[in-house]
Each structure stands twice: as C-alpha cells, then as structure tokens.
Amino acid sequence: MNSIDRIPISKVERASNLVQTGAKVGVNYLKYYGKKLTSSETDARTKLNQDNAEDIYDGLKKLKGSALKVAQMLSMDKSIMPQAYVEKFSLSQFSVPPLSPALVLRTFKKYFGNSPHDVFDRFEAQSVNAASIGQVHKAMKNGKTLAVKIQYPGVANSIGSDLALVKPIAIKMFNIRGKDSDKYFQEVENKLMEETNYNLEIEQSMEIVAACKHIDYLKFPTYYPKLSSEKILTMDWMNGEHLSEFTAHDNDQKDLNHLGQALWDFYMFQIHTLKKVHADPHPGNFLVSPEKDLIALDFGCMKTIPDSFYIPYFELADEDNLNNPVVFKEKLFELEILIPTDGKNEIEFFTQMFHELLSLFTEPFQQETFDFSNKVFFQKISNLGEKFSKDTALRKMNGNRGSKHFIYMNRTFFGLYNLMFDLKSKNVKINNFKNL
C-alpha cells in the first residue's frame, strides 16, 4: 500500500479535496443515467454505488481524521448503507494508506519532543496498522514488544471544519432538519475531539482494564503513560488476528461461542454496571489471540450513559412495557422520539414505527440465550432498515428524532450485533440486565 508524505491540513485544502470528490460523483451519475438506457435499473444502480463508494473512499482516505471516521461510522450500519459502501468504508477501520516513514519520524518528534529512536530501544518507522485518526508502529523497550500509536498531523484542528463539510450529506441522508439538529452534530464533534486526546484514552483504557479483567476469555494490553503523550499512545503489542480475519476461517463452534459470550458480557457489564461503554465496536478494535481469547483495544471513544437516558431506554427492552401502549408512548416522549409539537399523525406514525423497530431489535433480551448465527433475525433487521429508508411518509416528516445519546448507543448496539453475527455465536447467555 502506498504511503502518504503529507496530509491536507488547511480548511481550503480539505474543502478542495472534497469538491474534487464531489465532481467525480457527479460524473458517476452521468454514467448511471447512460447505463440505464442499455441495462436494468438494478445493474445501473449497483455500478453507481460501486463507483461512488470507490471515489468517496479514495477522497476521504487522503484526508484521514474525522472525515474518514464518519465513513467508518456509516460502514457499521449495514441496514442503511448499500453493500458497496459498507465494503469500501469498512476499510477505514484498520486499513488505510499510512504516513511515510519520514513523516512518521517528524510527527513523533513534534508530539513527543524526542526522536522515537531516542525513546525506544527499537522502533519500526513503517506502520503495521493505519486507521482513521492514527496509525500503529512496532517498538521494543527493555525486552518488551510494544505498539505505539501516532496521531495524524492536524486531525484535532480539522474536526469542526470537516463536519461542516460533511453536514449537508448527513442532513440529506438521514433527513435531519429543524432547529435542534445541531445537538447531534455537536455530540459527534465532542466525541471526535475526545478521540484525539490520547491522555484521555490512556486514562479510560486503564479504567476499563481494571473494571473488566474478571470477564472470562477477555484480555487487554498494558498501557504505558510515561511512554505516551496527548498524540502518542504506547501499549503492549498483542499477538492475534483482527476479528474480521479470524471469522473468515473455518473455526470451531466452541471457540466462536465463548468468544461471542466474552464480547456480549464485556458490553453488558459496561452498559449496565459502569454506565459507560466502548462505543466503537468494529472488527479493527478486537483481536483473537492464538489461545482463542478476545483482545479488546482502543478506548478513545467512550460514551457515558446518564440515568435520564439509560432508564427509559432499557425499560423499552422490557416486553411488558413494549406491549403497554400507555407506558410505551410515555417512554417515547422521555427519549425525545415523540416531541410536544407532534400532531396526531406524527404520534401515530412514530409510535408504530418505533414499536416495530424495538420489538425486533430487543428480541435477544426477551430470551435466556440467543443464537447470533440466526440469519433470519439479521435479515429482518436489514429489511426493516431498507423499509424505513424508502418510506415516503418518513421523508415528509421531521426526521430529527430522539435524544442525542441515541447516536452512540445505537452505534454501539449496531456494531455489537454485527460483530456477534460475524462470530456466528450460538447459545449466548443474555443475562437479565435488571439483575446486573
């Protein structure tokens, strides 16, 4: 994979890059209209999605940072994005063009004050893993093999301007409008800013390790604050395969089951006991060790769950509440899915829509154990997402629905469900979260 010698940092450069990408997308649409004349709508649309996904991803990966992070977030929701986008954008999770060795050395010295060769006994300037906000290098010190994560130059300073450029796309795609829509973009901006603070990530990582080390088959690296800074993070090098690589093999079902149980227990303990959750569950943040333990990495994106959201959110996972029209509607108002200015039509529409959605999405919580290899369950989720994306009535209404906390909680559950399905784990003990 070709390395990058510089990253566009200024607002003008980054905006120019996105304009060029937009022009390519425009050409793709011209090709699409021409292809419709000689082939089926399905074939023409498939080709359009493939071309657009390729061009948009190529543009974003040069920018890195928050622009690429948004693509990563979108790739996690397979019910919304066409498959071509999911496949291409998912590369942003752990496989993008790295910085060149020369730029790595300059960046490290700028952020740490010393050359990496003065800090470590050995440092490999060629990265082993590049993602949206930073890339990882292998190093040695005092006989220990280490992973050193270096943040890309200019990432923190470009978050606000990047999101301003992406905002029109998000508004069109997710039908977000109205005077309160800024609260969603502010939530994303705040979380992205936190992810650029590696001092905070070290603190959060050590907190999670201490709290979750009791979970069976779950391992974590040790973190080294003295070898880290706001833009440099050093931890143990962990041997293993990325989860997506591991699941591509023909694995023993027993291994898949205990890995899935470890993953589920990890998330349920965070959500229901810590009230703070690792809100970035994608394959690039998990490894499977040679001993078939699950290794959790990268705690830069942590979402604190306030009781004002947690209580009504999980009360709607209770089957009795789901089937009680009065209680159900009351909780929808508490979660800002229904709003005081809604008329009769809006209340009926969104109550029915979210009852259908939540009845399906909370299905695992209604059982003692759940089979996450069940293709029917996940096909229902996909079909429901497709149904809502095509709903003309929904497009005419204000799609600006729900508490700002939904953004990262939904991201957490979509990501977790996708990982559980990839593992094809069976007989996963769900646990009664009321008793956790």
Side-chain angles (χ1 to χ4, degrees):
M1 186 180 293
N2 294 331
S3 60
I4 296 175
D5 292 319
R6 69 181 298 274
I7 296 174
I9 293 176
S10 74
K11 293 180 182 179
V12 173
E13 278 187 295
R14 296 178 75 81
S16 175
N17 188 291
L18 286 176
V19 167
Q20 292 173 24
T21 300
K24 291 180 181 178
V25 170
V27 171
N28 292 339
Y29 271 98
L30 291 176
K31 293 178 182 177
Y32 159 71
Y33 293 128
K35 190 172 180 61
K36 280 208 305 183
L37 299 175
T38 58
S39 63
S40 69
E41 164 66 22
T42 299
D43 289 345
R45 176 64 64 174
T46 298
K47 177 62 174 170
L48 172 67
N49 288 337
Q50 290 172 344
D51 290 345
N52 279 349
E54 182 81 31
D55 289 334
I56 292 171
Y57 179 69
D58 284 347
L60 294 181
K61 73 183 181 183
K62 295 173 186 174
L63 296 177
K64 297 186 179 291
S66 53
L68 190 56
K69 191 74 177 181
V70 169
Q72 179 194 103
M73 291 170 68
L74 290 173
S75 74
M76 292 166 63
D77 188 351
K78 298 175 184 177
S79 67
I80 292 177
M81 299 295 288
Q83 186 61 28
Y85 290 87
V86 171
E87 292 174 356
K88 184 58 68 172
F89 287 4
S90 64
L91 294 175
S92 65
Q93 294 167 2
F94 55 88
S95 180
V96 297
L99 304 183
S100 67
L103 182 53
V104 166
L105 298 178
R106 292 199 303 272
T107 302
F108 187 99
K109 189 169 185 178
K110 175 184 176 182
Y111 289 153
F112 205 82
N114 293 308
S115 163
H117 298 297
D118 295 329
V119 176
F120 302 101
D121 299 332
R122 193 182 80 210
F123 178 84
E124 297 180 9
Q126 191 71 48
S127 84
V128 292
N129 188 339
S132 53
I133 289 178
Q135 62 184 47
V136 177
H137 296 258
K138 207 168 187 178
M140 292 283 295
K141 190 171 181 70
N142 299 329
K144 285 188 175 181
T145 306
L146 304 171
V148 182
K149 185 162 67 170
I150 302 176
Q151 191 172 125
Y152 300 129
V155 166
N157 295 333
S158 65
I159 287 174
S161 56
D162 278 359
L163 288 181
L165 292 168
V166 172
K167 187 174 180 178
I169 301 172
I171 287 173
K172 183 177 181 181
M173 181 176 292
F174 299 110
N175 193 32
I176 298 172
R177 62 181 187 272
K179 64 180 181 179
D180 294 329
S181 62
D182 283 347
K183 69 182 180 183
Y184 302 115
F185 295 101
Q186 192 60 54
E187 173 79 351
V188 172
E189 183 172 347
N190 290 344
K191 275 283 161 271
L192 289 172
M193 283 301 298
E194 288 179 8
E195 287 192 66
T196 66
N197 183 348
Y198 285 177
N199 285 330
L200 176 62
E201 182 173 340
I202 281 266
E203 180 184 321
Q204 293 178 154
S205 300
M206 296 174 72
E207 179 184 333
I208 288 293
V209 171
C212 299
K213 60 185 178 183
H214 66 284
I215 297 173
D216 292 338
Y217 300 108
L218 183 64
K219 304 298 180 197
F220 305 93
T222 298
Y223 293 84
Y224 300 94
K226 291 183 179 179
L227 296 175
S228 304
S229 71
E230 189 179 355
K231 308 297 181 187
I232 305 288
L233 191 155
T234 301
M235 68 187 101
D236 284 337
W237 178 269
M238 305 298 283
N239 291 314
E241 288 184 294
H242 282 298
L243 203 58
S244 57
E245 298 169 331
F246 174 78
T247 55
H249 306 321
D250 185 14
N251 295 295
D252 189 301
Q253 187 62 50
K254 288 183 179 179
D255 292 331
L256 297 175
N257 290 349
H258 80 240
L259 286 167
Q261 190 68 63
L263 183 64
W264 185 259
D265 291 347
F266 177 45
Y267 272 88
M268 293 307 103
F269 182 79
Q270 291 177 84
I271 291 170
H272 300 300
T273 302
L274 303 181
K275 301 290 180 64
K276 190 174 183 178
V277 65
H278 176 228
D280 201 11
H282 65 72
N285 282 343
F286 292 94
L287 303 177
V288 178
S289 75
E291 297 77 28
K292 303 300 185 293
D293 289 322
L294 185 70
I295 302 169
L297 309 167
D298 194 343
F299 298 100
C301 183
M302 296 293 296
K303 172 62 183 174
T304 298
I305 314 167
D307 282 342
S308 60
F309 179 81
Y310 172 88
I311 293 171
Y313 185 83
F314 284 100
E315 282 179 336
L316 285 182
D318 186 310
E319 197 168 16
D320 291 338
N321 292 333
L322 277 173
N323 295 324
N324 184 322
V326 174
V327 174
F328 185 74
K329 192 174 296 184
E330 176 186 312
K331 299 307 167 187
L332 292 188
F333 273 107
E334 287 183 45
L335 291 167
E336 302 171 49
I337 291 168
L338 295 179
I339 54 181
T341 56
D342 281 339
K344 180 181 178 181
N345 289 341
E346 285 85 0
I347 289 176
E348 289 180 354
F349 178 86
F350 285 110
T351 299
Q352 181 180 346
M353 171 184 172
F354 277 90
H355 188 270
E356 186 177 3
L357 179 65
L358 290 169
S359 296
L360 175 60
F361 208 67
T362 61
E363 194 174 308
F365 290 101
Q366 316 307 332
Q367 305 177 34
E368 291 186 10
T369 63
F370 194 76
D371 180 2
F372 283 97
S373 70
N374 184 347
K375 292 182 180 179
V376 174
F377 172 70
F378 287 93
Q379 188 60 52
K380 286 180 182 178
I381 290 179
S382 179
N383 291 344
L384 200 58
E386 186 175 348
K387 172 186 172 182
F388 291 144
S389 70
K390 294 178 179 178
D391 196 310
T392 55
L394 179 59
R395 291 179 183 276
K396 294 176 182 178
M397 295 182 185
N398 183 1
N400 181 12
R401 296 281 157 173
S403 162
K404 67 178 183 179
H405 303 297
F406 271 112
I407 293 177
Y408 282 93
M409 284 302 293
N410 284 355
R411 180 188 182 195
T412 296
F413 271 104
F414 270 115
L416 175 60
Y417 276 22
N418 285 334
L419 291 179
M420 296 296 291
F421 180 63
D422 289 343
L423 279 167
K424 302 295 188 292
S425 303
K426 299 180 179 180
N427 301 317
V428 175
K429 295 177 183 178
I430 298 302
N431 294 324
N432 186 340
F433 59 84
K434 296 176 186 175
N435 297 325
L436 283 175

